[in-house]
Amino acid sequence: MNQAPRVVIIGAGIVGANLADELATRGWANTTVIEQGPLHLAGGSTSHAPGLVFQTNASKSMTEFAGYTVEKLLSLQKDGTSCFNQVGGLEVATTPERLEELKRRHGFATSWGLESRLVDPAECKRLYPLLAEETVLGGFLVPSDGLASAARAVQLLIEKSTAAGVRFLGDTTVTGIEQDGGKVTGVRIGEDEVIEADIVVSCAGFWGPAIGEMIGMDVPLLPLAHQYVTTDALPELAGRNEGPNGATLPILRHQDKDLYYREHGDRIGIGSYAHRPMPVELHTLAKVPADRMSEHEMPSRLDFTQEDFLDSWEDSKVLLPALGDRSIDDGFNGIFSFTPDGGPLVGAAPELEGFYLAEAVWVTHSAGIARAMAELLIDGQSSISLHEGEVTRFEALQTTKEYVSETSQQNFVEIYDIRHPLEPRTSPRDLRSSPFRARQDELGAFYLESAGWERPHWFEANRHLVDTLPEAWRGPERDAWSNQFHSEISAAEAYTTRTAVAMYDMTPLKRLEITGPGALALLQRLSTGNIAKKPGAVTYCLLLNADGGIRSDVTIARLGEERFQLGVNSNIDFDYFTVEARRQAAADPAAWAHVADITGATCCIGLWGPLAREVMAKVSDDDFSNESLKYFRSAEVVIGGIRVTAMRLSYVGELGWELYASAETGQRLWDVLFEAGAEHGIIAAGRGAFNSMRLEKGYRLWGTDVTPEHHPFESGLGFSIAKGKTGFVGADAVDVLRNKPSTRALRCLTVDDGTSMVLGKEPVYLDGAPAGYVTSAAYGYTVGTPLAYAWLPASTVEGDQVEIEYFGRRIPATVAADPLFDPKMERLRG
C-alpha cells in the first residue's frame, strides 16, 4: 500500500506537471493534479510561453534552477526527440554600457560554474548570420542555453506521472480550500465535491492570487501582459529548420531595446518588454470552452495591441535587416506573472499548515523549482537554497495590492535594464522611516532603501571632515561602476567611529519579542546557542536546517525569565518562529510562546567608538563600565530620562552599545546623545562606513556571505554552536559535519594593488582556473586596502595568491588573515 501523503497540486502547467513527476520519482504518487483548462492545452502561461531558456542570473540559486531545468528537459524524450533544443543563447551589446554589462554577466556565469564566453562582433555574426554586424559591439554566449518545448514537456510529464499513479483532472475548477484546526484537509471542486488532501500546492501561475484568497492569503503577484509576435516567412531561413517550430540559430537577446528572438521554422518570433506595463485583472478573463481551446484562443492570450509594438518592430529591423521587407504574421499579448522583486514565490503558507505555493515561476526555472519543492515536501528542505524565493520574505506592506502593482510593473519595465547592486527603487519610497528621520534629514542623509526602510548611507553634514582625514584613511579613486552610490564621506565616518564616537541608525534591523512559558524551550530547540542563561545574557547563534545548512543567524537577548528579544534577518525568520511556536503549543498547550514583531514599535541607535563611554557618562547614572556591563550582556537603563534596553554589541568592531527604546521616545534619545557627544566629536554615520568596518572585523552577512547551502564550520561560524548542546534542529548533521573535512571555506582577500574595487559575485581564479566567487566587498578604511570575502577551496591558506575577475579584468589578490581588524577582540571587550 502506498503510504505517501495525499497531495493535491493546483495547476497542470510546466511547474505543476514537473512537481507531480518529481514527487512520483521519489515514491510519492498519491497525488492529484487539478487543472481548470483541458489537459491537452491548459491555456495558462505555459501554453503560450516562447520557451527561451537563458540560464545566467545574478542569483546563484536561480542559475542552478535553470541548469536543472535544461538537464531535465533534455532527458524528457519521446520518439527520439527531447523537450529541449540546445541551440545556445547569445546576448548582444549595441552600446558600450551593455558591453560592460555582458562582461559582468560572464562573471556571474563563471562564478556559478556555467560555461560561457564573450565573443566579438564577427563571432556574433557567424553565430547568428541575420545580425547587422555593424550594429553590434560584442556578445555573450552560453552554449547550453536553448529552447524549451514547454507544452510538449507537460504532455510527456502527464504521461509519465500517470503511469506512476498520479491522477490528473482537467476541466476542473477549484472553488475552495478545506481546512480544520489550522491544517489543510482538502480541495473543493465544483459545488460540493472535496478531494481530501494532507498537502496542497498551488502551482496556478498568474491565477495564484485567486487561490491565495481562498485561504485569506495575499499572494504578492501581478499578472502582466507581454507582447510576442511571429513574422511571415524569411527567404534566408527557407529549408533551414524542420517543422514550424524548428530552430538552429541561438536564441537571441537585444536587451538594449528590451527584445528577444527565436526561430519558428522559417519565421522569427519576437518578444518585447519595451511597451507600457499592461496589468490584467483576473475577473476580466473569460473562460474558453475546452472544445475551442487552441494556441490562438486561450485565457492567457489577449488581443495584440499593435500600436505598442511599432517601435520594437523598427528596432528589430535595424538589428536584423532581413526583416526589412517582412511583416508581422501573428501577434498576441500573453499573460505572465511578476512579483515585487522579480523572484518566484515558493514555500509554505505560514497561516495554514500543509498549504504550499510555487508561483511566479517561469519556464526557465520550472523543473528546478519543482524539484526544490518536492525536496521541501519530502525531505524538509531543498538541495538548492530557496531563501531568495521564499514566499514569506516580504514585509506586510510589500504584500498590499498597491505595492505589488507598482513594484511589479516597475520590474517589468526594468527587466533588461543595467542595474547596480546598490541601486534603490525610485518609487514607492518613504514607506518606513525611523523616529530619527527628521534629524537625519537635517544632517543631509543620503538614503538607500531596503524592505521599505529608508537607510542613511552617509551624511552630507560630515563632508567637511574629509579634508581633515589622515592620508592613510583616504580611499582610492574608484572606477565609474564601483563609485555609484558611494561617497568619500564614508571614509570620514569610519575614521570618526574608530577614533571618537558615532551614532548609527539600527532601527531597520528586524526585532522580535518572544514571551511565554514555552519561549525558552522554543529557542533552545531552534537555535545552536545555549539560551538557558540568566536574564541579561545575549547570545549570537544560528538557526539551522536539518542538514546543518544555515537558515539564518540571530542575536537573542534574555530580558526576563520568559521574555526574549531577537535580532533576526527578515520576515522569513518571523514566520519560522511563529509557525514553530504554534506547533509546540499544539503538542503541549502549557508550552505556549507568543512571537511578536516589535520592529515598528521600537527604534535602535548603535553608539560606537572609543569615546562612547564618555558620552554615556553625561546622560545616564547607570554603570556602563566593563565590569558592570560586559560584552554580550544587556541591561535596562535610563538615558536622559528615557527607558532604554542597552546591549553591549557592536557590528563595526568598536566599544559601544545597541540602544533600544520605544519609537515615540526615539527622537528624544537621538537628541540627548547627539548633544552629549558634541564635545567628543560625535557624528551620525551611515551604512557605507558600517559595511566597511563590519568586513574589516570579519562579520558575516547572512544571505550574502552565508546562505542555507553553507554549514557553520566552513563558514567560520562553528563558535556559535554551544559546547555540548544537543537536541536542536540540525544537531545530528552538526555532529557529522564537525568531523568531516570541508571542501570549501569563506576566505578574506586583500587586493594587491591597494586600489582596485570589486562589489560582489565576481569569480575568483586560483592557478588560472575559476575556483570560487566573491560574496561581500568594500574598501577597508582602517586597514587601507580593498578587501573581499570569497568562497574558495578549503585548501587555500593565508598568503595564497588569487585573481578576481572584474568586468573582464583580472585583479591580483591575496588570501589574508580573518579578521583583519582587532583579531583579539580588545576593542570590543575593553
Side-chain angles (χ1 to χ4, degrees):
M1 179 178 291
N2 191 340
Q3 297 299 314
R6 299 165 298 177
V7 180
V8 172
I9 298 170
I10 302 172
I14 191 68
V15 181
N18 260 303
L19 176 55
D21 174 67
E22 294 288 337
L23 290 173
T25 299
R26 290 164 174 76
W28 278 26
N30 191 4
T31 300
T32 300
V33 183
I34 303 172
E35 172 54 55
Q36 66 176 341
L39 293 177
H40 74 278
L41 189 70
S45 298
T46 300
S47 301
H48 66 66
L52 287 77
V53 176
F54 290 93
Q55 298 168 80
T56 307
N57 196 290
S59 162
K60 182 175 185 286
S61 293
M62 296 303 284
T63 300
E64 291 174 340
F65 289 139
Y68 180 73
T69 298
V70 169
E71 177 187 329
K72 183 169 184 180
L73 294 181
L74 277 171
S75 69
L76 195 60
Q77 299 187 13
K78 188 173 185 179
D79 301 328
T81 303
S82 81
C83 291
F84 194 77
N85 185 0
Q86 205 158 36
V87 292
L90 177 64
E91 302 176 26
V92 295
T94 59
T95 64
E97 295 79 11
R98 182 66 60 181
L99 187 62
E100 292 302 300
E101 173 68 2
L102 294 187
K103 294 176 184 178
R104 189 166 72 118
R105 290 180 60 74
H106 174 57
F108 292 152
T110 305
S111 290
W112 315 146
L114 182 64
E115 180 190 352
S116 68
R117 70 177 190 268
L118 296 167
V119 294
D120 62 20
E123 180 72 356
C124 290
K125 177 71 172 179
R126 187 191 70 78
L127 292 165
Y128 206 97
L130 298 182
L131 279 174
E133 183 179 346
E134 67 277 6
T135 68
V136 176
L137 301 180
F140 168 59
L141 177 71
V142 178
S144 58
D145 286 346
L147 287 163
S149 301
R152 181 171 181 264
V154 167
Q155 296 309 304
L156 296 186
L157 288 166
I158 290 175
E159 289 181 21
K160 182 184 175 189
S161 300
T162 299
V166 174
R167 180 172 63 142
F168 286 82
L169 301 178
D171 298 308
T172 302
T173 301
V174 172
T175 55
I177 307 298
E178 300 295 301
Q179 53 185 290
D180 181 51
K183 297 181 179 180
V184 71
T185 60
V187 175
R188 182 174 296 276
I189 57 176
E191 293 185 6
D192 53 12
E193 183 178 353
V194 174
I195 301 175
E196 294 183 346
D198 305 299
I199 295 171
V200 174
V201 186
S202 177
C203 301
F206 63 79
W207 291 98
I211 302 298
E213 287 180 6
M214 296 178 183
I215 66 167
M217 179 179 183
D218 292 323
V219 177
L221 180 160
L222 181 71
L224 284 166
H226 159 60
Q227 291 199 303
Y228 192 80
V229 306
T230 307
T231 69
D232 57 8
L234 275 68
E236 291 84 353
L237 298 179
R240 181 184 178 101
N241 304 309
E242 295 183 6
N245 289 311
T248 53
L249 294 178
I251 55 176
L252 178 67
R253 278 209 282 214
H254 180 22
Q255 289 147 302
D256 286 320
K257 295 297 182 180
D258 296 315
L259 294 165
Y260 63 82
Y261 307 86
R262 61 154 293 178
E263 292 173 284
H264 293 279
D266 58 0
R267 301 160 189 261
I268 294 290
I270 308 172
S272 171
Y273 293 103
H275 55 82
R276 61 188 170 88
M278 303 177 188
V280 176
E281 294 287 347
L282 294 179
H283 69 270
T284 65
L285 299 179
K287 184 174 175 63
V288 178
D291 59 354
R292 283 174 42 201
M293 191 82 75
S294 71
E295 64 175 296
H296 293 286
E297 187 173 3
M298 62 180 77
S300 63
R301 181 182 166 121
L302 307 181
D303 292 340
F304 183 57
T305 52
Q306 182 171 316
E307 64 276 11
D308 291 304
F309 193 79
L310 294 178
D311 288 344
S312 292
W313 180 239
E314 295 304 314
D315 290 333
S316 295
K317 289 190 287 186
V318 172
L319 185 71
L320 307 176
L323 300 179
D325 59 353
R326 310 320 307 163
S327 61
I328 297 171
D329 181 62
D330 181 44
F332 64 95
N333 294 353
I335 305 176
F336 288 99
S337 302
F338 281 78
T339 61
D341 62 4
L345 304 173
V346 188
E351 298 301 325
L352 181 59
E353 186 173 346
F355 189 90
Y356 294 80
L357 299 93
E359 309 287 21
V361 180
W362 291 12
V363 171
T364 299
H365 310 104
S366 55
I369 293 288
R371 180 181 68 172
M373 178 58 71
E375 292 171 340
L376 180 65
L377 296 178
I378 296 173
D379 304 324
Q381 64 187 87
S382 164
S383 57
I384 297 175
S385 175
L386 284 169
H387 71 282
E388 292 169 310
E390 173 62 57
V391 68
T392 59
R393 68 189 182 273
F394 296 108
E395 297 290 317
L397 66 87
Q398 295 176 300
T399 63
T400 64
K401 182 177 181 179
E402 293 79 6
Y403 186 92
V404 172
S405 178
E406 180 175 350
T407 55
S408 297
Q409 291 183 61
Q410 183 179 4
N411 283 330
F412 179 93
V413 171
E414 297 176 348
I415 192 167
Y416 284 164
D417 285 3
I418 300 171
R419 300 296 303 276
H420 191 277
L422 292 178
E423 185 175 348
R425 64 175 74 254
T426 56
S427 179
R429 291 293 295 269
D430 297 318
L431 294 174
R432 309 172 83 183
S433 294
S434 78
F436 321 131
R437 177 65 183 272
R439 297 297 182 255
Q440 292 167 344
D441 287 346
E442 292 168 1
L443 294 171
F446 177 84
Y447 299 98
L448 296 182
E449 178 267 345
S450 177
W453 284 104
E454 298 297 326
R455 308 183 75 169
H457 271 242
W458 65 81
F459 292 86
E460 286 295 326
N462 298 326
R463 183 170 292 279
H464 69 284
L465 298 174
V466 174
D467 296 333
T468 66
L469 276 175
E471 190 63 33
W473 278 78
R474 297 177 184 273
E477 184 175 341
R478 295 182 175 223
D479 65 282
W481 184 254
S482 67
N483 198 46
Q484 292 186 58
F485 309 103
H486 162 75
S487 173
E488 59 188 351
I489 297 172
S490 293
E493 293 178 355
Y495 178 76
T496 303
T497 307
R498 292 282 192 233
T499 60
V501 60
M503 292 165 53
Y504 289 80
D505 183 358
M506 302 299 291
T507 303
L509 173 69
K510 196 171 185 70
R511 291 176 294 286
L512 309 181
E513 185 177 73
I514 301 183
T515 56
L520 177 59
L522 178 72
L523 294 171
Q524 285 284 76
R525 177 169 60 86
L526 299 184
S527 78
T528 62
N530 177 20
I531 315 303
K533 303 173 184 176
K534 293 179 180 180
V538 183
T539 306
Y540 171 81
C541 51
L542 306 176
L543 309 180
L544 301 181
N545 286 321
D547 70 346
I550 303 170
R551 67 171 295 139
S552 191
D553 64 340
V554 299
T555 301
I556 303 175
R558 188 171 194 178
L559 304 182
E561 289 296 327
E562 296 183 357
R563 177 173 167 243
F564 300 83
Q565 181 173 311
L566 282 66
V568 301
N569 282 295
S570 73
N571 201 60
I572 298 173
D573 296 330
F574 171 60
D575 282 311
Y576 177 58
F577 281 112
T578 300
V579 169
E580 291 298 323
R582 190 183 303 135
R583 289 174 178 167
Q584 179 173 291
D588 180 5
W592 64 267
H594 179 67
V595 182
D597 181 351
I598 61 171
T599 312
T602 55
C603 61
C604 179
I605 293 174
L607 182 73
W608 295 315
L611 301 183
R613 278 203 182 96
E614 281 79 350
V615 175
M616 204 64 80
K618 297 185 65 176
V619 295
S620 179
D621 294 330
D622 290 287
D623 188 354
F624 285 88
S625 67
N626 194 49
E627 293 73 22
S628 177
L629 187 55
K630 294 183 181 297
Y631 185 56
F632 262 79
R633 295 287 297 176
S634 70
E636 301 298 325
V637 301
V638 175
I639 298 175
I642 301 165
R643 295 195 178 277
V644 172
T645 299
M647 297 186 192
R648 179 83 182 276
L649 311 174
S650 171
Y651 206 51
V652 300
E654 290 293 338
L655 168 69
W657 307 268
E658 291 180 358
L659 305 172
Y660 296 92
S662 60
E664 75 267 18
T665 61
Q667 183 168 301
R668 170 65 179 167
L669 177 63
W670 178 284
D671 290 345
V672 165
L673 292 171
F674 205 75
E675 180 179 350
E679 67 179 272
H680 302 293
I682 197 169
I683 63 168
R687 301 291 295 187
F690 180 95
N691 289 332
S692 170
M693 290 185 288
R694 74 99 180 164
L695 279 177
E696 291 176 329
K697 196 69 183 77
Y699 290 146
R700 279 60 168 151
L701 179 62
W702 186 87
T704 300
D705 299 314
V706 294
T707 72
E709 74 170 274
H710 306 114
H711 67 69
F713 304 106
E714 64 188 359
S715 304
L717 296 174
F719 68 88
S720 65
I721 302 172
K723 186 176 181 180
K725 184 178 180 181
T726 61
F728 58 91
V729 174
D732 291 343
V734 163
D735 287 342
V736 174
L737 293 169
R738 181 181 282 113
N739 300 308
K740 181 179 179 182
S742 298
T743 60
R744 60 187 176 184
L746 189 61
R747 299 297 193 206
C748 179
L749 306 179
T750 55
V751 174
D752 290 355
D753 64 17
T755 60
S756 297
M757 296 297 303
V758 299
L759 294 181
K761 301 187 178 181
E762 296 88 358
V764 180
Y765 289 75
L766 180 65
D767 297 327
Y773 59 91
V774 173
T775 58
S776 294
Y779 187 81
Y781 296 108
T782 316
V783 298
T785 188
L787 53 91
Y789 274 77
W791 281 102
L792 288 171
S795 58
T796 55
V797 296
E798 186 177 340
D800 283 352
Q801 298 296 302
V802 298
E803 292 178 305
I804 306 172
E805 185 175 282
Y806 181 71
F807 288 95
R809 177 170 64 94
R810 299 281 180 89
I811 299 173
T814 301
V815 178
D818 177 21
L820 289 171
F821 179 76
D822 190 26
K824 295 182 180 180
M825 306 285 282
E826 294 170 344
R827 312 262 297 201
L828 281 169
R829 298 181 185 277

